Amino acid sequence: MPNPTAAMIVIGDEILSGRTRDSNMHHLAGQLTSVGIDLKEVRVVGDENGTIIAAVQELSRVYDSVFTSGGIGPTHDDITADCIAAAFNKNIDVREDARAILAEHYAKSATELNTARLRMARIPDDATLIDNPVSAAPGFKLENVYVMAGVPAVFEAMVASVLPTLTGGAPLISATHRIERGEGDIAGPLGELATAYPTLAIGSYPFQKDGKYGAHIVIRGNDQAEIDAAIADLAKVFP
Amino acid sequence: MPNPTAAMIVIGDEILSGRTRDSNMHHLAGQLTSVGIDLKEVRVVGDENGTIIAAVQELSRVYDSVFTSGGIGPTHDDITADCIAAAFNKNIDVREDARAILAEHYAKSATELNTARLRMARIPDDATLIDNPVSAAPGFKLENVYVMAGVPAVFEAMVASVLPTLTGGAPLISATHRIERGEGDIAGPLGELATAYPTLAIGSYPFQKDGKYGAHIVIRGNDQAEIDAAIADLAKVFP
């Protein structure tokens, strides 16, 4: 059975302008791979209602699950929650369960739960909350979409909250063989190897470092014995 | 007049599996912003013909230009050039101008221009070549799509080759004001500022560092005087 599939939507003008370097994509990719879910596509979009809604609708139809990052804070440019509600035609308002979490959190630091902070309790109807152990304001899941914060520490904590609830396939196993030859010399035999092992994914990643060059050949699949056999075949040609 | 728009397609299973951390998106975003081109969307897709072709066709219709990264090397998983040709219904084969560049490059190092390396001279009809001063194998431009390598050093060199040929709009200017208050305290006045200056993009980026927390407010626009006025208004509320 093929692994479940996923997509990600990274939301924020600051990524597209080059001001901020996204790190959430790389984190989620590694986490999903570790539990046997195949991340198939990532989209980075700006803080624009139409673009966000269209991406959510399209990707949630195509893939088993969708993960979003960014745009759920208290400021005027945080429009993700409203876009998700619109994408699924749901009502959205301050919800009592989310408000209670924020009230308890801010009471501890004697901080006022003002109108702006209350925006973070706006949760679409029928959504379930995602725990945020870092800064309290929850993410949420609606249909097959997991809506999470953009701040990396909070995003990573929310992914950790969600991960145990996901049902993955067979985790992808990989093995790497380092070859100090140009990719142009490796490509021929490598193509033959890919043909001989059609169920394995075989990738070639060139490097140049410390005066040496070559490629790391990464072989991925679900069957350790098959991967070992392919690596052994490769090592016969390129020891 | 609004700035020209652009999209990017990052191609490679290794990004989606979490093996490799992409850096080309952040580089291109900064470069395009510096010349007044608005990067509106980025898609990260795997090494799959159908997905790549669909992304190229859709994004090249919607945006003024499209930049791709990855998949133009000599190995069997390098399928980008063929996908671009298919997306625009063009013939693709080893082209003499590209072959000549490779032949000269490999002659210098007495390296054989074998079948695998010749794959890198496969260029669609009507495409113009993009110079690669790092490792010779050229990128190319077809219609409004710029096809470049995934290896960061080569990608960055190709962007440098292409950038002077692009016609941008007014470069985006930005100013930043640091506020050591929670975003929840900043959000109200910030929303009013955004309403008062509708032509400016005002973003709030929270930080937590060295025991302090707050937000960097970034105001972007094309008019320095307007940005200065907005910053001054903000500083009245949050000195």
Side-chain angles (χ1 to χ4, degrees), chain A residues 36-75:
Chain A
I37 295 174
D38 291 349
L39 181 61
K40 303 294 277 183
E41 184 172 345
V42 179
R43 292 196 190 173
V44 186
V45 299
D47 302 318
E48 289 177 4
N49 289 279
T51 319
I52 297 171
I53 293 170
V56 169
Q57 289 179 333
E58 184 182 340
L59 297 176
S60 66
R61 264 197 305 269
V62 175
Y63 300 106
D64 295 326
S65 54
V66 174
F67 300 82
T68 78
S69 155
I72 62 169
T75 59

mmCIF file of all heavy atoms in Angstrom, chain A residues 36-75:
data_model
loop_
_atom_site.group_PDB
_atom_site.id
_atom_site.type_symbol
_atom_site.label_atom_id
_atom_site.label_comp_id
_atom_site.label_asym_id
_atom_site.label_seq_id
_atom_site.Cartn_x
_atom_site.Cartn_y
_atom_site.Cartn_z
ATOM 1 N N GLY A 36 6.698 7.868 7.919
ATOM 2 C CA GLY A 36 6.161 7.184 6.742
ATOM 3 C C GLY A 36 5.048 7.936 6.032
ATOM 4 O O GLY A 36 4.172 7.331 5.409
ATOM 5 N N ILE A 37 5.064 9.267 6.118
ATOM 6 C CA ILE A 37 4.128 10.081 5.334
ATOM 7 C C ILE A 37 4.934 10.810 4.272
ATOM 8 O O ILE A 37 5.971 11.411 4.577
ATOM 9 C CB ILE A 37 3.375 11.083 6.242
ATOM 10 C CG1 ILE A 37 2.485 10.308 7.217
ATOM 11 C CG2 ILE A 37 2.553 12.066 5.414
ATOM 12 C CD1 ILE A 37 1.800 11.184 8.252
ATOM 13 N N ASP A 38 4.482 10.739 3.009
ATOM 14 C CA ASP A 38 5.243 11.330 1.904
ATOM 15 C C ASP A 38 4.812 12.778 1.677
ATOM 16 O O ASP A 38 3.700 13.037 1.219
ATOM 17 C CB ASP A 38 5.004 10.539 0.604
ATOM 18 C CG ASP A 38 5.622 9.151 0.668
ATOM 19 O OD1 ASP A 38 6.396 8.884 1.599
ATOM 20 O OD2 ASP A 38 5.323 8.335 -0.239
ATOM 21 N N LEU A 39 5.703 13.713 1.974
ATOM 22 C CA LEU A 39 5.444 15.124 1.651
ATOM 23 C C LEU A 39 5.648 15.290 0.145
ATOM 24 O O LEU A 39 6.733 15.065 -0.373
ATOM 25 C CB LEU A 39 6.400 16.030 2.435
ATOM 26 C CG LEU A 39 6.234 17.537 2.227
ATOM 27 C CD1 LEU A 39 4.848 18.019 2.663
ATOM 28 C CD2 LEU A 39 7.316 18.316 2.977
ATOM 29 N N LYS A 40 4.566 15.648 -0.559
ATOM 30 C CA LYS A 40 4.612 15.650 -2.027
ATOM 31 C C LYS A 40 4.748 17.044 -2.621
ATOM 32 O O LYS A 40 5.156 17.191 -3.770
ATOM 33 C CB LYS A 40 3.326 15.029 -2.583
ATOM 34 C CG LYS A 40 3.036 13.622 -2.100
ATOM 35 C CD LYS A 40 4.043 12.629 -2.593
ATOM 36 C CE LYS A 40 3.729 12.149 -4.008
ATOM 37 N NZ LYS A 40 4.687 11.110 -4.440
ATOM 38 N N GLU A 41 4.353 18.064 -1.886
ATOM 39 C CA GLU A 41 4.376 19.412 -2.456
ATOM 40 C C GLU A 41 4.359 20.439 -1.332
ATOM 41 O O GLU A 41 3.702 20.241 -0.314
ATOM 42 C CB GLU A 41 3.143 19.596 -3.358
ATOM 43 C CG GLU A 41 3.113 20.931 -4.068
ATOM 44 C CD GLU A 41 1.986 21.029 -5.107
ATOM 45 O OE1 GLU A 41 1.402 19.987 -5.479
ATOM 46 O OE2 GLU A 41 1.708 22.154 -5.538
ATOM 47 N N VAL A 42 5.096 21.516 -1.521
ATOM 48 C CA VAL A 42 5.049 22.648 -0.598
ATOM 49 C C VAL A 42 4.757 23.902 -1.402
ATOM 50 O O VAL A 42 5.303 24.085 -2.493
ATOM 51 C CB VAL A 42 6.391 22.829 0.157
ATOM 52 C CG1 VAL A 42 6.331 24.032 1.092
ATOM 53 C CG2 VAL A 42 6.754 21.574 0.933
ATOM 54 N N ARG A 43 3.880 24.751 -0.900
ATOM 55 C CA ARG A 43 3.657 26.048 -1.526
ATOM 56 C C ARG A 43 3.958 27.143 -0.520
ATOM 57 O O ARG A 43 3.532 27.059 0.622
ATOM 58 C CB ARG A 43 2.215 26.197 -2.002
ATOM 59 C CG ARG A 43 1.927 25.276 -3.149
ATOM 60 C CD ARG A 43 0.685 25.659 -3.879
ATOM 61 N NE ARG A 43 0.370 24.576 -4.801
ATOM 62 C CZ ARG A 43 -0.734 24.505 -5.518
ATOM 63 N NH1 ARG A 43 -1.631 25.476 -5.435
ATOM 64 N NH2 ARG A 43 -0.939 23.497 -6.342
ATOM 65 N N VAL A 44 4.669 28.149 -0.956
ATOM 66 C CA VAL A 44 4.903 29.332 -0.146
ATOM 67 C C VAL A 44 4.071 30.447 -0.754
ATOM 68 O O VAL A 44 4.222 30.755 -1.941
ATOM 69 C CB VAL A 44 6.394 29.724 -0.141
ATOM 70 C CG1 VAL A 44 6.629 30.879 0.829
ATOM 71 C CG2 VAL A 44 7.268 28.537 0.209
ATOM 72 N N VAL A 45 3.172 31.016 0.026
ATOM 73 C CA VAL A 45 2.285 32.060 -0.486
ATOM 74 C C VAL A 45 2.314 33.267 0.447
ATOM 75 O O VAL A 45 2.700 33.159 1.618
ATOM 76 C CB VAL A 45 0.829 31.558 -0.642
ATOM 77 C CG1 VAL A 45 0.752 30.398 -1.620
ATOM 78 C CG2 VAL A 45 0.254 31.146 0.706
ATOM 79 N N GLY A 46 1.908 34.419 -0.053
ATOM 80 C CA GLY A 46 1.910 35.645 0.735
ATOM 81 C C GLY A 46 0.644 35.792 1.563
ATOM 82 O O GLY A 46 -0.237 34.927 1.562
ATOM 83 N N ASP A 47 0.554 36.912 2.271
ATOM 84 C CA ASP A 47 -0.600 37.160 3.142
ATOM 85 C C ASP A 47 -1.766 37.699 2.324
ATOM 86 O O ASP A 47 -2.164 38.859 2.477
ATOM 87 C CB ASP A 47 -0.212 38.169 4.239
ATOM 88 C CG ASP A 47 0.979 37.682 5.070
ATOM 89 O OD1 ASP A 47 1.002 36.481 5.405
ATOM 90 O OD2 ASP A 47 1.868 38.489 5.371
ATOM 91 N N GLU A 48 -2.301 36.879 1.426
ATOM 92 C CA GLU A 48 -3.393 37.304 0.544
ATOM 93 C C GLU A 48 -4.519 36.276 0.620
ATOM 94 O O GLU A 48 -4.302 35.089 0.320
ATOM 95 C CB GLU A 48 -2.912 37.400 -0.904
ATOM 96 C CG GLU A 48 -1.967 38.574 -1.152
ATOM 97 C CD GLU A 48 -1.454 38.600 -2.584
ATOM 98 O OE1 GLU A 48 -1.903 37.749 -3.390
ATOM 99 O OE2 GLU A 48 -0.612 39.464 -2.884
ATOM 100 N N ASN A 49 -5.704 36.738 1.004
ATOM 101 C CA ASN A 49 -6.834 35.823 1.197
ATOM 102 C C ASN A 49 -7.049 34.855 0.034
ATOM 103 O O ASN A 49 -7.126 33.649 0.229
ATOM 104 C CB ASN A 49 -8.124 36.631 1.403
ATOM 105 C CG ASN A 49 -8.157 37.325 2.752
ATOM 106 O OD1 ASN A 49 -8.482 36.716 3.746
ATOM 107 N ND2 ASN A 49 -7.786 38.593 2.776
ATOM 108 N N GLY A 50 -7.151 35.411 -1.162
ATOM 109 C CA GLY A 50 -7.500 34.591 -2.321
ATOM 110 C C GLY A 50 -6.500 33.470 -2.565
ATOM 111 O O GLY A 50 -6.877 32.320 -2.820
ATOM 112 N N THR A 51 -5.214 33.819 -2.493
ATOM 113 C CA THR A 51 -4.155 32.830 -2.746
ATOM 114 C C THR A 51 -4.174 31.735 -1.686
ATOM 115 O O THR A 51 -4.033 30.547 -2.003
ATOM 116 C CB THR A 51 -2.780 33.523 -2.735
ATOM 117 O OG1 THR A 51 -2.879 34.773 -3.412
ATOM 118 C CG2 THR A 51 -1.740 32.654 -3.385
ATOM 119 N N ILE A 52 -4.330 32.135 -0.425
ATOM 120 C CA ILE A 52 -4.311 31.144 0.664
ATOM 121 C C ILE A 52 -5.521 30.204 0.532
ATOM 122 O O ILE A 52 -5.382 28.977 0.608
ATOM 123 C CB ILE A 52 -4.324 31.851 2.041
ATOM 124 C CG1 ILE A 52 -3.063 32.705 2.216
ATOM 125 C CG2 ILE A 52 -4.448 30.834 3.175
ATOM 126 C CD1 ILE A 52 -3.079 33.617 3.448
ATOM 127 N N ILE A 53 -6.691 30.782 0.311
ATOM 128 C CA ILE A 53 -7.906 29.964 0.211
ATOM 129 C C ILE A 53 -7.804 28.976 -0.947
ATOM 130 O O ILE A 53 -8.110 27.784 -0.812
ATOM 131 C CB ILE A 53 -9.146 30.874 0.062
ATOM 132 C CG1 ILE A 53 -9.364 31.675 1.361
ATOM 133 C CG2 ILE A 53 -10.401 30.060 -0.280
ATOM 134 C CD1 ILE A 53 -10.406 32.787 1.247
ATOM 135 N N ALA A 54 -7.332 29.460 -2.100
ATOM 136 C CA ALA A 54 -7.214 28.582 -3.275
ATOM 137 C C ALA A 54 -6.237 27.441 -3.013
ATOM 138 O O ALA A 54 -6.495 26.284 -3.366
ATOM 139 C CB ALA A 54 -6.772 29.399 -4.490
ATOM 140 N N ALA A 55 -5.110 27.757 -2.367
ATOM 141 C CA ALA A 55 -4.116 26.715 -2.093
ATOM 142 C C ALA A 55 -4.685 25.669 -1.128
ATOM 143 O O ALA A 55 -4.492 24.460 -1.318
ATOM 144 C CB ALA A 55 -2.835 27.340 -1.523
ATOM 145 N N VAL A 56 -5.386 26.121 -0.091
ATOM 146 C CA VAL A 56 -5.967 25.189 0.888
ATOM 147 C C VAL A 56 -6.983 24.278 0.199
ATOM 148 O O VAL A 56 -6.978 23.054 0.383
ATOM 149 C CB VAL A 56 -6.627 25.962 2.051
ATOM 150 C CG1 VAL A 56 -7.466 25.035 2.923
ATOM 151 C CG2 VAL A 56 -5.567 26.671 2.885
ATOM 152 N N GLN A 57 -7.858 24.867 -0.607
ATOM 153 C CA GLN A 57 -8.895 24.061 -1.254
ATOM 154 C C GLN A 57 -8.278 23.030 -2.208
ATOM 155 O O GLN A 57 -8.640 21.855 -2.197
ATOM 156 C CB GLN A 57 -9.865 24.970 -2.008
ATOM 157 C CG GLN A 57 -10.746 25.785 -1.046
ATOM 158 C CD GLN A 57 -11.712 26.708 -1.748
ATOM 159 O OE1 GLN A 57 -11.443 27.150 -2.869
ATOM 160 N NE2 GLN A 57 -12.831 27.026 -1.099
ATOM 161 N N GLU A 58 -7.316 23.476 -3.024
ATOM 162 C CA GLU A 58 -6.734 22.570 -4.018
ATOM 163 C C GLU A 58 -5.937 21.456 -3.345
ATOM 164 O O GLU A 58 -6.128 20.271 -3.646
ATOM 165 C CB GLU A 58 -5.835 23.371 -4.976
ATOM 166 C CG GLU A 58 -5.281 22.506 -6.093
ATOM 167 C CD GLU A 58 -4.344 23.276 -7.015
ATOM 168 O OE1 GLU A 58 -4.400 24.529 -7.037
ATOM 169 O OE2 GLU A 58 -3.548 22.606 -7.714
ATOM 170 N N LEU A 59 -5.054 21.815 -2.410
ATOM 171 C CA LEU A 59 -4.163 20.807 -1.834
ATOM 172 C C LEU A 59 -4.911 19.846 -0.915
ATOM 173 O O LEU A 59 -4.581 18.663 -0.842
ATOM 174 C CB LEU A 59 -3.000 21.488 -1.103
ATOM 175 C CG LEU A 59 -2.081 22.322 -2.024
ATOM 176 C CD1 LEU A 59 -1.014 23.055 -1.215
ATOM 177 C CD2 LEU A 59 -1.422 21.445 -3.087
ATOM 178 N N SER A 60 -5.942 20.333 -0.208
ATOM 179 C CA SER A 60 -6.675 19.438 0.699
ATOM 180 C C SER A 60 -7.512 18.420 -0.082
ATOM 181 O O SER A 60 -7.864 17.375 0.457
ATOM 182 C CB SER A 60 -7.566 20.243 1.655
ATOM 183 O OG SER A 60 -8.594 20.904 0.945
ATOM 184 N N ARG A 61 -7.820 18.738 -1.341
ATOM 185 C CA ARG A 61 -8.521 17.772 -2.197
ATOM 186 C C ARG A 61 -7.573 16.697 -2.710
ATOM 187 O O ARG A 61 -7.936 15.532 -2.824
ATOM 188 C CB ARG A 61 -9.136 18.492 -3.416
ATOM 189 C CG ARG A 61 -10.585 18.874 -3.288
ATOM 190 C CD ARG A 61 -11.198 19.192 -4.645
ATOM 191 N NE ARG A 61 -10.470 20.217 -5.376
ATOM 192 C CZ ARG A 61 -10.739 21.521 -5.307
ATOM 193 N NH1 ARG A 61 -11.720 21.962 -4.562
ATOM 194 N NH2 ARG A 61 -10.019 22.391 -5.999
ATOM 195 N N VAL A 62 -6.330 17.112 -3.027
ATOM 196 C CA VAL A 62 -5.385 16.223 -3.713
ATOM 197 C C VAL A 62 -4.636 15.305 -2.746
ATOM 198 O O VAL A 62 -4.373 14.143 -3.062
ATOM 199 C CB VAL A 62 -4.382 17.062 -4.542
ATOM 200 C CG1 VAL A 62 -3.314 16.169 -5.166
ATOM 201 C CG2 VAL A 62 -5.116 17.862 -5.623
ATOM 202 N N TYR A 63 -4.287 15.824 -1.555
ATOM 203 C CA TYR A 63 -3.431 15.064 -0.652
ATOM 204 C C TYR A 63 -4.195 14.626 0.600
ATOM 205 O O TYR A 63 -5.212 15.221 0.949
ATOM 206 C CB TYR A 63 -2.195 15.892 -0.278
ATOM 207 C CG TYR A 63 -1.384 16.264 -1.507
ATOM 208 C CD1 TYR A 63 -1.397 17.562 -2.012
ATOM 209 C CD2 TYR A 63 -0.641 15.301 -2.193
ATOM 210 C CE1 TYR A 63 -0.676 17.902 -3.149
ATOM 211 C CE2 TYR A 63 0.086 15.632 -3.338
ATOM 212 C CZ TYR A 63 0.062 16.931 -3.807
ATOM 213 O OH TYR A 63 0.769 17.254 -4.939
ATOM 214 N N ASP A 64 -3.678 13.600 1.270
ATOM 215 C CA ASP A 64 -4.363 13.068 2.449
ATOM 216 C C ASP A 64 -4.408 14.085 3.580
ATOM 217 O O ASP A 64 -5.388 14.157 4.317
ATOM 218 C CB ASP A 64 -3.669 11.781 2.928
ATOM 219 C CG ASP A 64 -3.788 10.657 1.905
ATOM 220 O OD1 ASP A 64 -4.844 10.591 1.228
ATOM 221 O OD2 ASP A 64 -2.846 9.859 1.763
ATOM 222 N N SER A 65 -3.333 14.839 3.744
ATOM 223 C CA SER A 65 -3.361 15.883 4.770
ATOM 224 C C SER A 65 -2.549 17.092 4.323
ATOM 225 O O SER A 65 -1.687 16.986 3.447
ATOM 226 C CB SER A 65 -2.840 15.351 6.114
ATOM 227 O OG SER A 65 -1.573 14.768 5.953
ATOM 228 N N VAL A 66 -2.858 18.236 4.926
ATOM 229 C CA VAL A 66 -2.193 19.498 4.587
ATOM 230 C C VAL A 66 -1.775 20.173 5.885
ATOM 231 O O VAL A 66 -2.551 20.181 6.854
ATOM 232 C CB VAL A 66 -3.141 20.430 3.794
ATOM 233 C CG1 VAL A 66 -2.500 21.802 3.558
ATOM 234 C CG2 VAL A 66 -3.543 19.794 2.468
ATOM 235 N N PHE A 67 -0.569 20.697 5.922
ATOM 236 C CA PHE A 67 -0.046 21.388 7.100
ATOM 237 C C PHE A 67 0.261 22.828 6.720
ATOM 238 O O PHE A 67 0.931 23.063 5.731
ATOM 239 C CB PHE A 67 1.225 20.691 7.600
ATOM 240 C CG PHE A 67 1.004 19.247 7.982
ATOM 241 C CD1 PHE A 67 0.996 18.250 7.010
ATOM 242 C CD2 PHE A 67 0.767 18.895 9.298
ATOM 243 C CE1 PHE A 67 0.770 16.917 7.349
ATOM 244 C CE2 PHE A 67 0.544 17.575 9.649
ATOM 245 C CZ PHE A 67 0.540 16.586 8.674
ATOM 246 N N THR A 68 -0.255 23.790 7.527
ATOM 247 C CA THR A 68 0.087 25.180 7.239
ATOM 248 C C THR A 68 0.949 25.745 8.358
ATOM 249 O O THR A 68 0.914 25.289 9.492
ATOM 250 C CB THR A 68 -1.164 26.076 7.062
ATOM 251 O OG1 THR A 68 -1.708 26.408 8.344
ATOM 252 C CG2 THR A 68 -2.222 25.402 6.207
ATOM 253 N N SER A 69 1.724 26.757 7.991
ATOM 254 C CA SER A 69 2.661 27.401 8.904
ATOM 255 C C SER A 69 2.525 28.901 8.735
ATOM 256 O O SER A 69 2.673 29.415 7.623
ATOM 257 C CB SER A 69 4.074 26.922 8.531
ATOM 258 O OG SER A 69 5.062 27.839 8.918
ATOM 259 N N GLY A 70 2.205 29.622 9.819
ATOM 260 C CA GLY A 70 2.229 31.088 9.767
ATOM 261 C C GLY A 70 0.861 31.741 9.716
ATOM 262 O O GLY A 70 -0.127 31.149 9.293
ATOM 263 N N GLY A 71 0.822 32.978 10.200
ATOM 264 C CA GLY A 71 -0.373 33.813 10.064
ATOM 265 C C GLY A 71 -1.465 33.578 11.079
ATOM 266 O O GLY A 71 -2.621 33.905 10.818
ATOM 267 N N ILE A 72 -1.129 33.027 12.273
ATOM 268 C CA ILE A 72 -2.188 32.848 13.280
ATOM 269 C C ILE A 72 -1.910 33.648 14.550
ATOM 270 O O ILE A 72 -2.388 33.307 15.628
ATOM 271 C CB ILE A 72 -2.453 31.361 13.616
ATOM 272 C CG1 ILE A 72 -1.211 30.679 14.210
ATOM 273 C CG2 ILE A 72 -2.922 30.608 12.379
ATOM 274 C CD1 ILE A 72 -1.533 29.288 14.808
ATOM 275 N N GLY A 73 -1.126 34.721 14.433
ATOM 276 C CA GLY A 73 -0.851 35.584 15.581
ATOM 277 C C GLY A 73 -1.939 36.628 15.784
ATOM 278 O O GLY A 73 -3.014 36.540 15.198
ATOM 279 N N PRO A 74 -1.649 37.675 16.620
ATOM 280 C CA PRO A 74 -2.681 38.654 16.976
ATOM 281 C C PRO A 74 -2.752 39.873 16.060
ATOM 282 O O PRO A 74 -3.622 40.717 16.259
ATOM 283 C CB PRO A 74 -2.242 39.089 18.376
ATOM 284 C CG PRO A 74 -0.752 38.975 18.350
ATOM 285 C CD PRO A 74 -0.437 37.816 17.433
ATOM 286 N N THR A 75 -1.847 40.013 15.081
ATOM 287 C CA THR A 75 -1.816 41.277 14.333
ATOM 288 C C THR A 75 -2.678 41.213 13.068
ATOM 289 O O THR A 75 -3.112 40.143 12.638
ATOM 290 C CB THR A 75 -0.368 41.680 13.989
ATOM 291 O OG1 THR A 75 0.249 40.668 13.208
ATOM 292 C CG2 THR A 75 0.438 41.912 15.256
#
